[in-house]
Amino acid sequence: MAEKESLSVGNEQSTMAQLVQSGLTAPSAGAHSVLQDRLSLTPLESNRDRPVQPFPRSPRLQKKKTKAGRPSQVNKTVEQLSTQLEELEAERSKTEAHIQSLKKRNTDLSRTTETMKQQVREHYEKMRAVLKQDEHTVLDSLELDLRRTRTKLDQVIKTWKQHQDQVTKSISSIQKEWSKGSTAEEEGEGQSENLSPKKPDASEREIRLNEERFQRVLKTLFSISKNLKAQLQRKTLLLDSSPVMIDRQTCHRQITVTSEGRCMSFSGSDHSAPEHPLQFDKVCCALGSSPVTAGQSYWEVDVRCCSAWAVGLAYTSLQRKGLDKGTKLGRNRNSWCVELRNSILSAWHNDRYMACQGARQTPLGKVGVWVNYDKGQVMFYDADTMAVLQKFSAAVTPVFDRAHHQFTEPLYPAVRFLRPQQNQMWPSHMELCHLNNL
């Protein structure tokens, strides 16, 4: 027991020596007694094999530690904000560059448009130059004809003037003899010297302008002017043209479509293909594959090989099954058309029709269809002369009782093979014209 106390006192003294060496003040006598009591209660031998546990930290110290750990989170947030700022700066730079590009494009558009206008002016100037040159050629031809005719006429006038001078000379001679009181014999001699009356030569009647040639020139110019006007108008319409093909799913079973999808033939026999829900089962009709939903559009249909046909356009809601008016072009509110039946050309809509005023006596070769979807207008043309066959619009004649201010559904090109007269054979062929090349 004395040994343990001596060890305890020795340990205490060594501990005190260590505290003094560390620069700490020596504990007071009370502290020394408490320490001594504690050391005496807890033998050192019992703590040798246990890990030394740290003293519990105060809440203030833990709070300081927490605050000391926050800078890493703040730094992380700053880094994120910095990254976002860099991204936004980059986005702003890209946006500014894109805006500058769009502004440059706007300038380029104006420059390109001016270049196009200049090219158009040059082409029309060349056309006017050709017309002017041809005008001078025709006028020079008329002037040459005038000079030739005048030369002939002047020669005839000269001959008549010579005769007039001779007649005047004879009159003067007779008057002189008469004034001298010549004898009857002398008078007889004077009368014998009188000139015989001059008659107009038959060739004088041919001295005139070549009016027949002039009329031929006028006729040619009229034909050229008419065709030029038609071609220029057609050129304007062709700017709105787009490829049109037949939707095979809508074709009647007796219509055969070629591989490119533009030519149709009436076969007279049903195909073995299964019936499609969009197919016309009774009416020999077909629709195009591309709808018109906005803007302007133009297409042409070659009908030269058909003796009875209908060409037009229809809503997608046009009925496909049965033989009633809802399935026939022009016999309902969902379709418009011009048709040739029994050699009579007429325009149809809503089961009402009127004769086409612009039709020629000769059969049509091609039918042009122009649509202004936004304005609710449809116009049918004789594509060879560009004569207007019929116009449907908000200002349409009272014959068609429904005036469309605007279309309400997509419009599809439509064609129909009609039954001809009894003494004629069924029509065999129609074709949607390829209009990519002006």
Side-chain angles (χ1 to χ4, degrees), residues 249-253 274-281 320-321:
Q249 295 179 347
T250 66
C251 293
H252 186 269
R253 293 186 302 274
E275 184 176 342
H276 194 274
L278 299 179
Q279 184 181 33
F280 290 91
D281 63 344
R320 315 298 172 88
K321 309 302 179 182

Side-chain angles (χ1 to χ4, degrees), residues 53 61 85 88 117 129 135 137 143 150 152 183 189 194 217 241 255 260 273 276 292 315-316 338 350 358 393 402 413:
Q53 297 294 334
L61 185 61
L85 183 61
L88 290 175
K117 287 182 179 180
E135 178 186 1
T137 302
E143 187 66 25
R150 279 181 173 176
K152 294 179 181 179
T183 59
E189 293 176 357
N194 289 339
V217 169
S241 65
I255 296 178
E260 67 274 12
H276 194 274
V292 179
Y315 285 149
T316 185
V338 292
N350 196 23
S393 69
R402 183 177 182 181

Side-chain angles (χ1 to χ4, degrees), residues 67-172:
K67 290 182 177 180
R70 284 182 180 177
S72 61
Q73 297 179 357
V74 173
N75 292 337
K76 185 177 181 181
T77 304
V78 170
E79 291 178 358
Q80 292 178 351
L81 291 176
S82 178
T83 303
Q84 292 179 359
L85 183 61
E86 292 177 357
E87 293 177 353
L88 290 175
E89 289 289 346
E91 181 66 22
R92 182 172 66 178
S93 300
K94 289 172 58 178
T95 303
E96 290 177 355
H98 188 65
I99 291 175
Q100 293 298 325
S101 175
L102 292 176
K103 290 182 178 179
K104 184 178 181 299
R105 185 184 300 180
N106 189 15
T107 305
D108 293 341
L109 285 175
S110 301
R111 187 183 302 111
T112 303
T113 302
E114 288 300 324
T115 302
M116 292 179 177
K117 287 182 179 180
Q118 183 61 31
Q119 292 176 351
V120 171
R121 292 190 191 100
E122 290 176 358
H123 282 291
Y124 277 98
E125 189 63 32
K126 291 179 181 178
M127 292 172 61
R128 283 191 288 267
V130 172
L131 290 174
K132 196 69 177 177
Q133 182 179 1
D134 187 72
E135 178 186 1
H136 286 308
T137 302
V138 175
L139 294 178
D140 291 343
S141 176
L142 293 175
E143 187 66 25
L144 179 61
D145 188 22
L146 175 62
R147 288 198 297 266
R148 289 175 179 175
T149 304
R150 279 181 173 176
T151 300
K152 294 179 181 179
L153 189 58
D154 290 342
Q155 186 65 33
V156 172
I157 291 175
K158 183 179 179 180
T159 302
W160 278 95
K161 281 187 175 181
Q162 290 176 354
H163 178 70
Q164 182 183 22
D165 292 341
Q166 291 178 1
V167 171
T168 302
K169 185 178 180 180
S170 297
I171 292 175
S172 177

Side-chain angles (χ1 to χ4, degrees), residues 131 134-135 138-139 142 214-228:
L131 290 174
D134 187 72
E135 178 186 1
V138 175
L139 294 178
L142 293 175
F214 176 68
Q215 292 298 328
R216 289 198 299 271
V217 169
L218 286 182
K219 185 177 180 180
T220 303
L221 290 176
F222 176 78
S223 176
I224 292 175
S225 176
K226 186 177 180 180
N227 291 334
L228 181 61

Side-chain angles (χ1 to χ4, degrees), residues 241-248 250 260-262 286-294 297-299 312-316 371 373 409-414 432:
S241 65
S242 58
V244 179
M245 294 184 295
I246 292 297
D247 185 359
R248 290 180 172 83
T250 66
E260 67 274 12
R262 293 200 307 269
L287 299 182
S289 58
S290 301
V292 179
T293 58
S297 185
Y298 177 77
W299 65 89
L313 63 166
Y315 285 149
T316 185
V371 181
Y373 191 91
E409 299 180 34
L411 290 169
Y412 290 83
L432 295 171

Side-chain angles (χ1 to χ4, degrees), residues 399-418:
V399 174
F400 304 103
D401 59 354
R402 183 177 182 181
H404 285 268
H405 294 275
Q406 63 181 8
F407 294 112
T408 58
E409 299 180 34
L411 290 169
Y412 290 83
V415 293
R416 180 188 175 191
F417 290 98
L418 300 177

